[in-house]
Amino acid sequence: MVAPLSTWPWENLGSFKYILYGPFLAKILYTRHDQEDSSQGIWCLHILILCALRGFMYQSWTSYSNMLFLTRNRRILKQGVDFKQIDKEWDWDNFILLQAVLATLIFSVFPFLANLPFWNTRGFIAVVLLHVAISEPLYYVTHKYFHGDYLFANYHSLHHSSPVPQPFTAGHLTLFEHLVMAMVIGVPILGVCLAGYASISVIYTYVLMFDLLRCLGHCNIEIVPHQLFESFPFLRYILYSPTYHNLHHTEMGTNFCLFMPLYDLLGNTLNSKSWEMHKKLSIDAGKNGRVPDFVFLAHVVDMTSALHVQFVFRSYGSMPFTTKVILLPFLPICFILMLVMWAKSKTFLISFYNLRGRLHQTWSVPRFGFQYFLPFAADGINKHIEEAILRADRLGVKVINLAALNKNEALNGGGTLFVNKHPNLKVRVVHGNTLTAAAILNEIPKDITEVFLTGATSKLGRAIALYLCRKKVRVLMLTLSTERFQKIQKEAPVEYEKYLVQVTKYQAAQNCKTWIVGKWIKPREQSFAPAGAHFHQFVVPPILRFRRDCTYGDLAAMKLPEDVEGLGSCEYTMDRGVVHACHAGGVVHSLEGWTHHEVGAIDVDRIGIVWKAALKHGLKPVSSVEKIIEQ
């Protein structure tokens, strides 16, 4: 049986809960035309503004907490925030709506609140005194009670179910707990109002400072310098630090205070390791953290995908990519940041996860997809990639995996430029396309006899064609370059050369139901495919799903092993726990401990080897069709 007040009344509304803010807006609009009763409208306006500021406060702190390029060495708990925690904390902002409703009820009881002045100095003094004398001890006592057997099991355990504290975790409480929290934050405000010292500025300042300190305690980033407490020892009892509150989450019998450790000292619940751990973390912030075993070197795809990272919107980044209308207003900001990154920036850390004791990180080259096609930008992009490789080499990274356009043949020969320039690299440079080819081939039915291949002379197209011809599959290779076609054809064993056929027009595939698309094709070109055709593809962005009488495959991808830890973001176009096949190829390279570089042309003989290694380590193909690759 569910404990009383442990669930929210709007729990089943999902995102529609924000409609409950509608009456506030309606009241504001109504009172603009009814000047005789404008007080309620003004009060509702203040509530909406305060709610918006509070939401912005928590979102900003969460974004900062996930800016790993700034905070990676200051993190208290080193593990990542996974999908499970993100889903649990999805409705973290319920308390803001609850307190808005409660504020309206208070106004109905005390209508004089509508006539508060903007400023009252005495109000600031009074609200601080009331907070220290009432709110702090009230929270301390109730918090200890919530750690009792019944209350913890039925209420407070929800808050502690988040393994890595984040600002959103502060709002991850049951309805009953937030009613108590509303009392804690409401007593000083109501007290100063009844005392006649209230003002608009006092209410705004107190509420926002309350939220700021809640975010500070749950941010999992130690930003309070230990020198502050050493210079002014009494401050350590006046203001807690993120380390102090994190200790409460790891050792729950200690550090119960709201913001002031003084009450833990008085209640004999102060963790003796608080200051020592705080000092150590503060000092270690200037040192490099753990060296990753594997780095996936990505780049920004476009403006909308730039919003699809954890440090922008954590919840959005945890879901498969879609273009949401609500995010379109942020595009101008993204455009400005793109120009700033273009002018002055360097490769930065985006995300990480752990796999079998190995730390895997994703770094990003600060360039957008369209910039890779600007001739004058090529040298600068290659410089960024080269610097990232050399940095990984200095750190001791074992494998660095070039993603998407970072391994473009026209840009750097699929990574050969860097390997040839720096022959003594200890880090292995990998493009991962051997597994990409294997994943594409895995989707092709075993009994197929003919395929149509666009992008036929590309790195992937060549490997796919050479592999399929050995299986006696007739490959119609679309290319206008006879020279390139003949070069690839000569690579095939003599007895299989006849299975490679050059075609120069899409009409040549009018009777072929298996299309492998490696070059973006428009709806007109798709129209030449017969009804019932299936479009396999390795082209970015994916082709438009124009034909309703045909089927379309997704980009080559692999699902990471089930024991992956701390994964909380989705790769562009991929589902949860799924990565692009080239990323998976780098993971396999790392797990196998291979010592060769995987750059340039794909070694067709290794396609089966890499595929078997991927399956051995628990990576799974996203497609479930019958396999052509021998296992």
Side-chain angles (χ1 to χ4, degrees), residues 68-70 72 295-300 311 340-342 344-351 361-367 372 380-392 394-395 400-403 406 418:
L68 300 176
F69 51 91
L70 294 177
R72 63 185 181 277
V295 167
F296 184 62
L297 186 61
H299 62 80
V300 191
F311 66 80
V340 173
M341 290 167 62
W342 201 348
K344 186 177 182 180
S345 60
K346 60 182 179 179
T347 299
F348 58 97
L349 173 62
I350 295 180
S351 62
Q361 291 183 346
T362 295
W363 299 355
S364 179
V365 173
R367 292 294 181 269
Y372 283 76
I381 292 172
N382 274 333
K383 183 179 179 181
H384 277 294
I385 298 171
E386 181 180 7
E387 288 175 349
I389 292 172
L390 294 177
R391 179 187 168 203
R394 289 193 302 271
L395 290 174
I400 185 166
N401 187 181
L402 305 183
N406 287 332
F418 312 114

Side-chain angles (χ1 to χ4, degrees), residues 130-142:
L130 288 170
H131 174 84
V132 173
I134 299 178
S135 291
E136 286 285 346
L138 176 62
Y139 179 86
Y140 177 80
V141 172
T142 56

Side-chain angles (χ1 to χ4, degrees), residues 77-145:
L77 296 178
K78 307 302 182 184
Q79 62 262 42
V81 179
D82 59 18
F83 294 119
K84 185 178 180 181
Q85 176 173 341
I86 293 172
D87 288 344
K88 280 184 176 181
E89 297 176 355
W90 200 271
D91 293 313
W92 64 272
D93 59 344
N94 277 338
F95 76 97
I96 298 179
L97 177 55
L98 171 68
Q99 292 182 16
V101 173
L102 294 177
T104 305
L105 295 176
I106 290 174
F107 175 78
S108 65
V109 178
F110 304 105
F112 70 88
L113 296 177
N115 301 314
L116 295 178
F118 176 76
W119 186 270
N120 188 323
T121 304
R122 291 183 178 181
F124 285 96
I125 299 172
V127 80
V128 170
L129 292 176
L130 288 170
H131 174 84
V132 173
I134 299 178
S135 291
E136 286 285 346
L138 176 62
Y139 179 86
Y140 177 80
V141 172
T142 56
H143 192 184
K144 284 189 69 175
Y145 274 114

Side-chain angles (χ1 to χ4, degrees), residues 279-292:
K279 181 177 181 179
K280 183 178 185 303
L281 285 165
S282 181
I283 293 173
D284 289 348
K287 303 176 183 177
N288 286 326
R290 180 182 170 187
V291 175

Side-chain angles (χ1 to χ4, degrees), residues 586-615:
V587 171
V588 172
H589 206 98
S590 173
L591 292 174
E592 282 289 309
W594 287 328
T595 57
H596 65 280
H597 295 291
E598 184 191 336
V599 294
I602 295 172
D603 185 349
V604 180
D605 294 327
R606 289 192 59 83
I607 291 178
I609 296 172
V610 172
W611 183 252
K612 290 178 181 178
L615 299 181

Side-chain angles (χ1 to χ4, degrees), residues 3 56 74 87 89 100 103 130 134 156 211 218 223 279 320 360 384 424 456 462 468 474 524 576 604 613 627:
F56 179 75
R74 294 182 174 273
D87 288 344
E89 297 176 355
L130 288 170
I134 299 178
H156 199 52
D211 287 338
H218 289 86
I223 61 176
K279 181 177 181 179
H360 291 198
H384 277 294
N424 297 320
R462 165 194 163 274
L468 288 175
R474 188 167 180 261
R524 180 181 178 278
R576 286 183 167 187
V604 180
K627 302 173 179 58

